Amino acid sequence: MEIRSLQTPGSLNSLKQESVRMKAASFQGGLALPVPDKFESQAITTLPAPDRVLLPLLHHPEQAYELQVKKGALIKQGQPVGEGVSSLVLAPISGKVEEINKNFKLPGGALTTAIRIAASDEEFPDEAPPAVPDSGTLQKILGTGLSELSESPVPLFEKLRSIRSKRVRTLIINCLDEFFIQGRSAALASQHTPDLLAGIDLLVQYSGAESAVITVYAESAQALQSLQESGTKCHILPVKAKHPQHAEKLLVTAVTGREYDVDLTPEDLGVSVISAETAYWVSRAVNRREAALDKLLTVAGGSLKEPRNCFVRIGTPLQEVLTHLGQDIADGDKVILGGPLSGQAVSDPDTPVTQQTHLVFIQKKTDLHVFSQDAVCFKCGLCVQICPMRLMPFLISGFSEGGLYDLAEKNSLFTCIECGCCAYVCPVNIPMVQWIQLGKSAIRAQRS
Amino acid sequence: MHSLRLVVSPHPHLHSGQSLSAMMQQIMIALLPAVIFGVYLFGFDALRVIILSMGSAVGWEYLIRKASQRPGRLTDLTALTSGLIFAMLLPASIPWWIILLGTLIMIGLGKEVFGGFGTNPFNGVLIAWVVLKMSYPDFMLDWPAIAMNADLATTPMEVFKTQGPSFVQESFSLSEMFFGFTTGPIGQGSAFCLLLGGGWLLYKRVVDWRIPLCYLAGVFVFSGLFWALQIGSGNADPLFHLFAGGTMLAAFFLATDPPSSPTTPDGMILFGLLAGVLTAIIRMWGIWPFGACYAVLIMSMFTPFLDKIAPEVYGR
Ligand code: SF4
Ligand code: SF4
């Protein structure tokens, strides 16, 4: 057994010396992603702003927002409608506050307040360009961008503060998306390279880190090329296209070569993960005084031949996004927030795009996978071999199913990142992630 | 308010497409060369045993499930497949009622009392085989003579056990044993046919390489060591140990039985190696000539223990 030192970020120093590691970093287990035949990703499009937006106020589980507007109020695009300790929620469009729903249910099940704004142009003849509010301090500006990769997303400003206080030396800028090699972050890296790099420089500066590493799928030739030709000082790390390489733990391991237990964070290892889109918005906010009112989305599946990357106004109902892209949905289809392997299916097609919506995957009625509810594990061991966390998925899932939560936890239930690989390979279609989630929430409920 | 009814389910929303019944199908396909060769050697009698064994296995499973009021599981093809593997271990001359008894034990005692395929600690095929071997040794050793080797109605492994390795060399050539022109159970004589099938299973990834290859390595290295160093008398060529006595059948079709074999990569390697070594030990020093089946059965008792050799969890 190897005892891994968590103190010395030594491997990072050696990492800085070579500019591109020749062999793509990877991990044991996991699923190889389908590599698209052609590598030109389509240009990122911007969808028109919708007539109505729905704005749930709770993007961060820990931080409540104070409502800044009342029902019936007229507001300008970019005006704060909610304010937290270190972040703002900005109105994505100008218009009238139509409804304030105190019991809006987020896709995960949590309740929050949501504001519905209906566009009305007349009141704003001199429609101001989307601007970062003048009163906004740097703290608030950064608060509008999110770093969505941590398990419980924190406002960027908070994240930068903790990076500083924990003396993080390296920022990991993540250009990997779940499942799609030509996803939104790769498109951003190849089509908005200057903004991305400027944002990374600012983040390095604000956080007091020494350097940044950009992780890109080695198969994403365009993004790699754009980054390399830009002459950036950042280290570019190609990684093999495998699911779930985009997960924070595996990303940190790919960069540092080290692993960390559930009670540690990447910051304890001297690194921190920030998504490429966040860097992009930081540069837009600071250099062009533009607020992050749009969200960069990848839409894929259904009748779309290739994944489409587009900027969508925050608060737009998913249904509207899909209609714009010519993607119909019907009864019995699945709309998934996230990729087909670890995304979450939503019941309401009008679920709004939030800062945590990165990928929308459509599955037609005819393509649905059905789990078996009474299957018995026959110990083939396929799930053990595929698990990137090197767990015994059939054990933790079986223990959770049987209510033996202690045993599940003893077998490292909480190390599971719910990537879905185990249930993907199981020949008898056991819904393992379902049982694992049940086990985790039951244990959490017992503790609280 | 919204009229669209979307489907919601836990992730993942994709699946590899692998299924238990497809795996069982592949196993039966992989046994096809050995089945054809067995029928060629032993004629219609062999076909009779195979059909009876597969048919009765399915029948017993149906009846037991019905009687215990549980939903049928015949479509997963495990009963059919174990019926076929069981037939491979029987002599072609075996009376029909022994087959029926065997499959009842295989399905009932080997599988259904534990709740069905997956929860059984032992390979039902081997349980049934042991019971018959103990209860009806005469019927179970009654090998029909075959046309190519009419004067010798014993298996090479029995010759080895009763008369010694030098007699084996006189009676059988290695190629005869490799291709299977010897008498014995219906489907275990031809190492060649079984290797074809085993290769197919590895190629199709129905079976992980670790157990079969480590098993063969265990048999070969252990018996080869004694043979090369000439420790004691009565050592046979390690190739003999690979080709005779059902080694190939045990490696690819018995030791790899998922419920009774380990699930972890390291556990599989150890399981294979130890079962191989144990096979050689039983053959060399035991009183029984059929070490392969016993060794696999004994090793499956260690499976819960071997499963403890779990991979080192991420970050621990
Ligand atoms: S147990 Fe968890 S981490 Fe392992 S494969 Fe399954 S979902 Fe992924
Ligand atoms: S893949 Fe499914 S059947 Fe195989 S060991 Fe895992 S849970 Fe059991």
Side-chain angles (χ1 to χ4, degrees):
Chain A
M1 236 183 288
E2 186 192 345
I3 295 168
R4 298 180 181 89
S5 146
L6 295 175
Q7 300 307 324
T8 51
S11 60
L12 290 174
N13 293 333
S14 62
L15 214 153
K16 268 186 237 157
Q17 278 148 23
E18 359 142 30
S19 81
V20 174
R21 210 191 261 178
M22 289 323 280
K23 200 164 155 283
S26 198
F27 60 97
Q28 209 188 76
L31 291 163
L33 296 184
V35 179
D37 340 327
K38 56 181 173 72
F39 281 105
E40 287 102 87
S41 57
Q42 295 175 344
I44 303 178
T45 50
T46 304
L47 299 193
D51 293 338
R52 262 193 182 71
V53 292
L54 187 61
L55 219 53
L57 276 196
L58 195 78
H59 297 171
H60 321 296
E62 302 300 326
Q63 232 188 9
Y65 288 88
E66 250 170 67
L67 215 55
Q68 303 279 304
V69 291
K70 291 210 167 58
K71 188 174 169 182
L74 288 174
I75 45 170
K76 265 189 171 181
Q77 170 174 301
Q79 181 184 330
V81 292
E83 185 164 359
V85 181
S86 55
S87 60
L88 293 172
V89 178
L90 306 179
I93 59 173
S94 299
K96 194 173 183 178
V97 177
E98 210 178 43
E99 190 197 343
I100 293 176
N101 178 357
K102 299 257 180 207
N103 284 314
F104 179 78
K105 204 171 189 183
L106 291 166
L111 291 179
T112 182
T113 302
I115 305 175
R116 187 188 300 280
I117 304 170
S120 59
D121 291 325
E122 308 114 61
E123 287 87 350
F124 299 98
D126 57 330
E127 169 133 8
V132 169
D134 289 336
S135 61
T137 57
L138 179 63
Q139 153 176 1
K140 301 283 184 186
I141 297 172
L142 294 177
T144 60
L146 279 177
S147 135
E148 70 272 16
L149 251 178
S150 10
E151 263 153 35
S152 59
V154 288
L156 183 60
F157 185 79
E158 294 296 330
K159 180 141 186 167
L160 291 179
R161 196 151 62 184
S162 86
I163 291 176
R164 213 174 245 291
S165 69
K166 292 201 174 169
R167 296 210 168 74
V168 165
R169 300 172 66 169
T170 304
L171 299 185
I172 300 174
I173 306 297
N174 182 25
C175 279
L176 312 180
D177 283 299
E178 184 189 341
F179 199 73
F180 293 100
I181 294 166
Q182 293 308 344
R184 57 192 198 106
S185 304
L188 200 64
S190 57
Q191 295 171 33
H192 292 272
T193 328
D195 272 333
L196 172 65
L197 295 176
I200 296 174
D201 284 346
L202 288 169
L203 284 170
V204 169
Q205 191 188 321
Y206 294 154
S207 66
E210 284 164 18
S211 61
V213 177
I214 310 177
T215 51
V216 191
Y217 283 131
E219 287 78 355
S220 181
Q222 247 186 351
L224 265 181
Q225 197 189 353
S226 306
L227 288 173
Q228 274 160 18
E229 283 170 359
S230 71
T232 172
K233 295 194 305 294
C234 301
H235 178 86
I236 300 159
L237 180 71
V239 292
K240 236 176 117 195
K242 241 180 166 192
H243 177 81
Q245 179 67 72
H246 67 284
E248 188 171 75
K249 279 186 175 152
L250 293 171
L251 212 50
V252 167
T253 303
V255 172
T256 62
R258 293 206 305 273
E259 302 185 341
Y260 57 105
D261 208 348
V262 272
D263 46 356
L264 293 176
T265 63
E267 283 76 19
D268 296 322
L269 270 71
V271 296
S272 189
V273 180
I274 294 180
S275 78
E277 193 190 354
T278 302
Y280 169 82
W281 284 119
V282 166
S283 138
R284 302 294 278 199
V286 174
N287 295 336
R288 308 195 192 191
R289 301 187 56 74
E290 273 177 28
L293 301 183
D294 282 339
K295 177 74 186 92
L296 180 56
L297 273 190
T298 301
V299 183
S303 53
L304 298 172
K305 279 196 204 71
E306 287 172 11
R308 298 277 299 272
N309 300 309
C310 42
F311 282 111
V312 176
R313 194 57 53 91
I314 284 174
T316 311
L318 287 181
Q319 170 108 47
E320 210 170 312
V321 176
L322 299 178
T323 312
H324 269 300
L325 297 174
Q327 172 69 62
D328 295 330
I329 43 172
D331 278 356
D333 292 350
K334 240 191 217 178
V335 175
I336 299 157
L337 289 187
L341 288 166
S342 28
Q344 180 179 30
V346 294
S347 58
D348 183 358
D350 287 331
T351 302
V353 169
T354 68
Q355 278 179 314
Q356 281 157 46
T357 317
H358 315 305
L359 171 59
V360 180
F361 188 79
I362 311 299
Q363 225 171 21
K364 285 299 185 193
K365 202 172 168 178
T366 44
D367 302 334
L368 298 189
H369 166 63
V370 182
F371 288 110
S372 158
Q373 290 302 323
D374 58 353
V376 181
C377 164
F378 68 101
K379 324 234 160 36
C380 65
L382 288 178
C383 54
V384 180
Q385 286 181 28
I386 205 93
C387 178
M389 296 286 113
R390 302 191 298 271
L391 301 172
M392 304 269 275
F394 74 95
L395 270 190
I396 55 173
S397 145
F399 284 145
S400 301
E401 182 181 358
L404 303 168
Y405 303 127
D406 302 356
L407 284 172
E409 199 179 0
K410 249 182 223 151
N411 284 281
S412 310
L413 176 70
F414 282 100
T415 302
C416 166
I417 55 172
E418 293 172 26
C419 65
C421 290
C422 49
Y424 174 85
V425 295
C426 178
V428 286
N429 294 328
I430 299 176
M432 274 184 269
V433 178
Q434 174 189 319
W435 297 126
I436 288 171
Q437 284 174 334
L438 173 79
K440 285 183 182 174
S441 60
I443 293 173
R444 287 199 186 109
Q446 276 172 11
R447 303 257 155 93
S448 66
Chain B
M1 196 178 105
H2 45 90
S3 53
L4 259 186
R5 293 156 62 90
L6 298 177
V7 172
V8 182
S9 71
H11 63 273
H13 308 283
L14 295 178
H15 191 259
S16 63
Q18 182 66 281
S19 71
L20 178 55
S21 57
M23 291 166 95
M24 290 296 134
Q25 254 170 35
Q26 292 301 334
I27 292 176
M28 287 192 278
I29 291 173
L31 276 173
L32 217 57
V35 167
I36 293 172
F37 188 76
V39 173
Y40 160 74
L41 271 191
F42 303 109
F44 173 75
D45 248 3
L47 204 57
R48 175 193 65 106
V49 175
I50 292 168
I51 292 172
L52 251 180
S53 171
M54 290 171 85
S56 60
V58 168
W60 288 127
E61 176 161 314
Y62 176 79
L63 289 177
I64 293 175
R65 285 251 157 195
K66 192 107 207 155
S68 56
Q69 295 177 349
R70 285 175 303 157
R73 282 269 166 77
L74 288 177
T75 46
D76 67 12
L77 303 183
T78 52
L80 208 61
T81 309
S82 40
L84 180 59
I85 298 177
F86 183 56
M88 299 288 100
L89 294 172
L90 300 176
S93 56
I94 195 128
W96 62 270
W97 55 271
I98 294 194
I99 302 176
L100 259 57
L101 183 66
T103 51
L104 175 61
I105 292 165
M106 173 177 86
I107 298 291
L109 270 185
K111 187 161 92 168
E112 291 302 325
V113 281
F114 297 107
F117 189 73
T119 36
N120 49 325
F122 302 113
N123 187 345
V125 173
L126 291 176
I127 298 278
W129 176 85
V130 165
V131 171
L132 294 191
K133 207 88 191 172
M134 299 292 173
S135 316
Y136 305 99
D138 295 343
F139 286 121
M140 288 295 278
L141 286 172
D142 178 22
W143 313 118
I146 56 168
M148 303 90 206
N149 221 331
D151 42 322
L152 199 65
T154 44
T155 64
M157 200 47 80
E158 285 169 290
V159 173
F160 165 78
K161 201 68 243 176
T162 52
Q163 284 152 297
S166 49
F167 275 91
V168 176
Q169 267 174 21
E170 280 170 29
S171 321
F172 309 95
S173 70
L174 268 181
S175 75
E176 247 180 338
M177 286 189 290
F178 178 65
F179 289 104
F181 295 109
T182 59
T183 191
I186 293 169
Q188 82 168 34
S190 173
F192 172 69
C193 291
L194 291 165
L195 261 178
L196 277 185
W200 175 254
L201 290 182
L202 293 187
Y203 168 69
K204 282 278 173 186
R205 304 206 173 207
V206 172
V207 159
D208 189 77
W209 60 270
R210 290 180 181 85
I211 292 178
L213 298 192
C214 292
Y215 178 81
L216 295 179
V219 172
F220 186 80
V221 170
F222 191 81
S223 62
L225 213 63
F226 281 83
W227 181 69
L229 301 178
Q230 302 193 338
I231 305 171
S233 61
N235 294 313
D237 189 334
L239 284 178
F240 161 81
H241 280 287
L242 282 190
F243 299 159
T247 312
M248 294 294 167
L249 192 69
F252 291 103
F253 296 93
L254 295 172
T256 54
D257 172 55
S260 60
S261 65
T263 53
T264 64
D266 291 347
M268 288 181 182
I269 290 178
L270 256 181
F271 181 87
L273 282 176
L274 292 178
V277 169
L278 197 57
T279 301
I281 289 178
I282 296 177
R283 283 177 185 169
M284 282 149 61
W285 295 296
I287 51 163
W288 299 97
F290 6 84
C293 292
Y294 277 129
V296 172
L297 187 62
I298 291 169
M299 274 316 295
S300 56
M301 297 178 195
F302 290 96
T303 292
F305 171 71
L306 291 173
D307 260 343
K308 295 247 179 259
I309 314 177
E312 192 193 345
V313 170
Y314 175 96
R316 283 292 160 88

